[in-house]
Amino acid sequence: RKEQELDSKDAIILHQFSRPSNGVPSLSPFCLKMETYLRMADLPYQNYFDGKLSPQGKMPWIEYNHKKVSGTEFIIDFLEEKLGVNLNKHLSPHERAVSRAVTKMVEEHFYWTLAYCQWVENLHETQKMVSLFGPFSDLLKWILCHLTKGIVKREMYGHGIGRFSEEEMYTLMEKDMRTLAGLLGDKKYIMGPNVSTVDATVFGHLAQAMWTLPGTRPERLIKGELINLAMYCERIRRKFWPEWHHDDDNTLYESEDSSEASKTYSPLQDFSFYSRTETFDEEGNSISQTPDTDYTGHSLFDSDVDMDEYRDHEQCK
């Protein structure tokens, strides 16, 4: 198929995998991390789901002013330098060090146990979520998923974590999740009351356990004993992904102040120009929108979930 010409002049083009069929933005923690970061930083961007990897063989990657950058860490550094954004400017040197340590734990350790759960143990469910169309879509999905399974197992073995038993890998996963739950505590975000870059990383990975791994051990853990992580995921989803809705949402996370109008959702866009502070009508005219309101005009503070609400719910039970 002839590739569509893209003009990245003064525009962020985000290349990533296609949207899955279950309503979650991405089955890739790194793609979800990158897109969530762009929304947190309020940087307008355009998605491009061509499936083409970067020159380094990475996904996601961006184009900006005809410059190609891959690797989420390098992308964020590049955008900070070129556009002057910085989600970590409120952090102290110690907090920045902790933030980086948490990021590396999540991306270099926790990620692999999630990948095992998603592409090896839970492959049948993951295959249902992969979005492919055409007369041979089922066969292609089967082939794609089993190829991915082989790649994941080989890379996990090379990493070292894949040399352990399944039970040992899940023990490591649980330790990572408990560490994140302990770091978060009853705070709004990982590093305190304000969002920072590490939140995009942690959310991108925890969202997989929350919404893409039904019936698995990480899902049971995040929605059970480590409920503060589930509330954290919901908090970020509602603030930065107002159009993302899941049919199996647990009403435990709903705010008592949420109105019916605030529960209307539009589908995730496959090929779209997105800005959190502006929306665009069909004729391309901008419509003002403040960062603290969603696309319906309702305050996002009403959807912030805190631990007191959960404790009250537990006492009622």
Side-chain angles (χ1 to χ4, degrees):
R1 187 177 60 183
K2 184 178 179 180
E3 292 186 8
Q4 180 178 346
E5 293 295 329
L6 292 177
D7 184 8
S8 63
K9 180 174 172 54
D10 297 328
I12 300 172
I13 308 297
L14 176 62
H15 295 259
Q16 61 170 312
F17 297 115
S18 299
R19 301 285 195 209
S21 59
N22 67 333
V24 176
S26 181
L27 294 177
S28 164
F30 292 97
C31 288
L32 184 53
K33 166 194 173 179
M34 196 65 250
E35 192 168 2
T36 301
Y37 170 84
L38 291 171
R39 293 177 175 225
M40 287 177 171
D42 197 19
L43 294 176
Y45 64 93
Q46 186 170 356
N47 279 316
Y48 196 62
F49 301 94
D50 56 349
K52 183 179 179 180
L53 300 178
S54 73
Q56 294 81 17
K58 305 286 285 185
M59 189 74 90
W61 56 287
I62 69 162
E63 292 181 76
Y64 180 77
N65 282 339
H66 308 292
K67 171 74 173 179
K68 298 178 180 179
V69 186
S70 66
T72 56
E73 184 171 356
F74 291 115
I75 293 173
I76 291 172
D77 290 344
F78 173 81
L79 294 176
E80 287 182 351
E81 178 184 353
K82 295 296 182 181
L83 302 178
V85 297
N86 189 349
L87 294 181
N88 298 331
K89 60 185 178 181
H90 62 283
L91 300 181
S92 67
H94 173 75
E95 289 173 328
R96 294 188 186 205
V98 171
S99 177
R100 178 165 175 77
V102 173
T103 297
K104 294 301 107 179
M105 180 194 76
V106 170
E107 294 185 345
E108 305 297 339
H109 195 266
F110 181 49
Y111 163 75
W112 290 108
T113 56
L114 279 177
Y116 176 83
C117 189
Q118 191 172 48
W119 294 104
V120 179
E121 187 199 25
N122 208 44
L123 183 65
H124 180 69
E125 291 296 325
T126 302
Q127 184 175 324
K128 296 177 184 178
M129 302 176 195
V130 173
S131 180
L132 286 176
F133 302 97
F136 303 105
S137 59
D138 289 339
L139 175 61
L140 290 173
K141 284 197 291 186
W142 187 91
I143 294 173
L144 173 65
C145 289
H146 281 78
L147 283 174
T148 304
K149 175 182 177 180
I151 292 171
V152 167
K153 291 182 70 174
R154 184 176 69 247
E155 292 189 349
M156 288 183 67
Y157 189 85
H159 176 277
I161 198 169
R163 305 182 187 216
F164 297 110
S165 69
E166 180 177 294
E167 186 60 34
E168 288 171 328
M169 282 191 285
Y170 278 120
T171 297
L172 295 175
M173 170 186 279
E174 183 173 334
K175 286 183 177 181
D176 287 344
M177 293 182 71
R178 290 186 183 280
T179 298
L180 291 173
L183 282 168
L184 178 63
D186 59 359
K187 300 193 301 292
K188 189 172 184 178
Y189 300 112
I190 295 295
M191 301 308 298
N194 299 312
V195 72
S196 58
T197 303
V198 69
D199 292 298
T201 302
V202 174
F203 174 75
H205 288 72
L206 287 180
Q208 307 304 318
M210 186 81 173
W211 289 294
T212 73
L213 298 172
T216 61
R217 290 171 66 171
E219 186 204 48
R220 292 195 298 271
L221 193 60
I222 195 172
K223 293 183 177 179
E225 186 177 350
L226 306 182
I227 195 70
N228 68 326
L229 294 181
M231 292 179 172
Y232 168 80
C233 288
E234 282 288 348
R235 187 177 301 124
I236 291 179
R237 184 183 76 158
R238 295 182 186 190
K239 186 173 181 63
F240 300 103
W241 290 91
E243 77 278 30
W244 171 6
H245 175 59
H246 196 270
D247 292 336
D248 298 326
D249 283 345
N250 191 327
T251 55
L252 168 61
Y253 310 126
E254 296 289 349
S255 168
E256 294 179 358
D257 298 330
S258 298
S259 64
E260 290 300 317
S262 65
K263 298 178 184 178
T264 59
Y265 301 86
S266 61
L268 292 169
Q269 298 296 310
D270 277 350
F271 191 88
S272 60
F273 185 80
Y274 181 87
S275 173
R276 188 161 60 90
T277 55
E278 285 189 323
T279 56
F280 295 83
D281 60 24
E282 295 179 354
E283 297 179 358
N285 299 318
S286 64
I287 304 171
S288 295
Q289 183 179 359
T290 67
D292 295 326
T293 61
D294 62 18
Y295 66 97
T296 65
H298 290 81
S299 172
L300 289 167
F301 290 113
D302 293 339
S303 63
D304 286 342
V305 184
D306 54 34
M307 292 299 293
D308 291 336
E309 181 179 339
Y310 171 68
R311 294 192 186 99
D312 293 341
H313 176 83
E314 287 295 294
Q315 290 175 357
C316 290
K317 288 166 52 179

